[in-house]
Structure formats: structure tokens, C-alpha cells
């Protein structure tokens, strides 16, 4: 009988990393980072990367990304005041969508404390209808493809 229980990914499976400092408010009454903080880290890490690389202009761009799916598995607790390192890779890029896979690592840890994914569908800012990935975004998605 084989187990379908997810196993933590290794650091070397991700293309790029972002460091995030945990905050006091991230901890819950159980003394570890609450699950909702992980989803904020996913969003922060991916969108900051897209903005830095010129693939997304959140204030003036005509294309915006909407999250249509998200998932996370947890393997080890994290707590304030740890610094976490968020690994990012792209599992799939379609005509108007990208599936980002994210690993959350304790600083210098080899295995993910948590890992998950989210799917952005890129749409026109005004009509909210899907649009093809703009060139800079398509190139970055290809660069991050695992």
C-alpha cells in the first residue's frame, strides 16, 4: 500500500527565493505562525518578484492577476522571530494563467516547512476577461519553469 501523503520538497527544487521576516502578529495562540500568514507570504513573494522583474505593473498596467486556486501543506512549525525563505517556481504557464509553486523554508533549512501553489489567471483590468500573458510575464514564467 502506497501513501499519498505529501512529502516536503527540497530547497534545490525552486528557481528563486525571497526572504520574509515573520511578525509578532503572525503567531497564533498555539505559539506558531498561523496558517493564514502562509497565504500572505505566497502572494507577497510572487507579486514582489513580478513587480521587480517588470512583469506586472499593479498601479498602471492593463493586465492584473486574479487568484483562482490555492493550496498548502504544512510539515514543520515556524514562529516569530524567524526569517523565512520563500522558494518560487512555475509548474505550468498557459495562455492566460500561471501555476506558481511555493516552498516555505526556515532560514537555511533543506526541506520545506510548508509548500503549496496558487494559480493566477491574468485578466484585463477593466473587463476582467482573461488575456494572453504579456511578453515580460511569459518570459519570466518560462525562466521560473521547473
Amino acid at each position: 500500500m502506497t501513501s499519498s501523503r505529501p512529502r516536503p520538497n527540497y530547497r534545490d527544487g525552486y528557481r528563486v527565493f525571497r526572504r520574509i521576516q515573520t511578525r509578532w502578529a503572525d503567531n497564533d495562540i498555539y505559539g506558531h505562525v498561523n496558517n493564514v500568514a502562509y497565504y500572505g507570504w505566497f502572494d507577497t513573494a510572487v507579486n514582489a518578484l513580478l513587480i521587480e522583474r517588470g512583469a506586472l505593473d499593479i498601479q498602471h498596467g492593463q493586465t492584473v492577476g486574479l487568484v483562482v486556486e490555492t493550496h498548502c501543506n504544512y510539515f514543520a512549525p515556524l514562529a516569530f522571530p524567524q526569517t523565512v525563505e520563500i522558494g518560487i517556481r512555475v509548474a505550468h504557464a498557459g495562455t492566460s494563467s500561471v501555476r506558481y509553486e511555493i516552498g516555505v523554508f526556515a532560514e537555511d533549512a533543506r526541506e520545506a516547512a510548508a509548500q503549496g501553489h496558487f494559480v493566477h489567471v491574468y485578466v484585463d483590468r477593466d473587463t476582467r476577461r482573461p488575456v494572453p500573458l504579456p511578453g515580460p510575464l511569459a518570459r519570466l514564467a518560462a525562466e521560473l519553469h521547473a
Side-chain angles (χ1 to χ4, degrees):
M1 185 160 120
T2 58
S3 172
S4 62
R5 181 175 179 199
R7 305 267 314 141
N9 289 328
Y10 293 111
R11 176 180 292 276
D12 61 3
Y14 295 89
R15 300 287 192 236
V16 65
F17 285 84
R18 298 199 61 86
R19 294 170 59 88
I20 295 178
Q21 179 61 50
T22 58
R23 305 166 308 154
W24 173 255
D26 293 335
N27 280 6
D28 62 19
I29 197 162
Y30 302 115
H32 59 76
V33 172
N34 188 271
N35 63 299
V36 75
Y38 291 79
Y39 287 102
W41 294 341
F42 287 11
D43 233 6
T44 296
V46 170
N47 284 300
L49 178 65
L50 296 176
I51 292 164
E52 281 178 3
R53 298 282 187 92
L56 184 65
D57 179 348
I58 61 171
Q59 305 198 322
H60 304 291
Q62 196 54 38
T63 301
V64 297
L66 302 179
V67 175
V68 298
E69 178 181 314
T70 189
H71 177 83
C72 188
N73 291 107
Y74 305 92
F75 304 106
L78 297 168
F80 175 82
Q82 283 181 289
T83 299
V84 294
E85 297 171 330
I86 311 299
I88 304 167
R89 65 186 179 202
V90 167
H92 175 76
T95 302
S96 61
S97 66
V98 178
R99 178 184 164 118
Y100 298 96
E101 293 186 342
I102 296 99
V104 179
F105 295 82
E107 195 169 28
D108 298 324
R110 183 172 173 242
E111 291 185 346
Q115 65 201 28
H117 72 268
F118 74 84
V119 177
H120 261 166
V121 171
Y122 291 92
V123 300
D124 179 89
R125 180 184 295 275
D126 299 324
T127 67
R128 293 298 203 246
R129 300 297 309 151
V131 296
L133 300 178
L137 180 56
R139 287 188 291 278
L140 181 57
E143 177 186 327
L144 297 175
H145 193 266

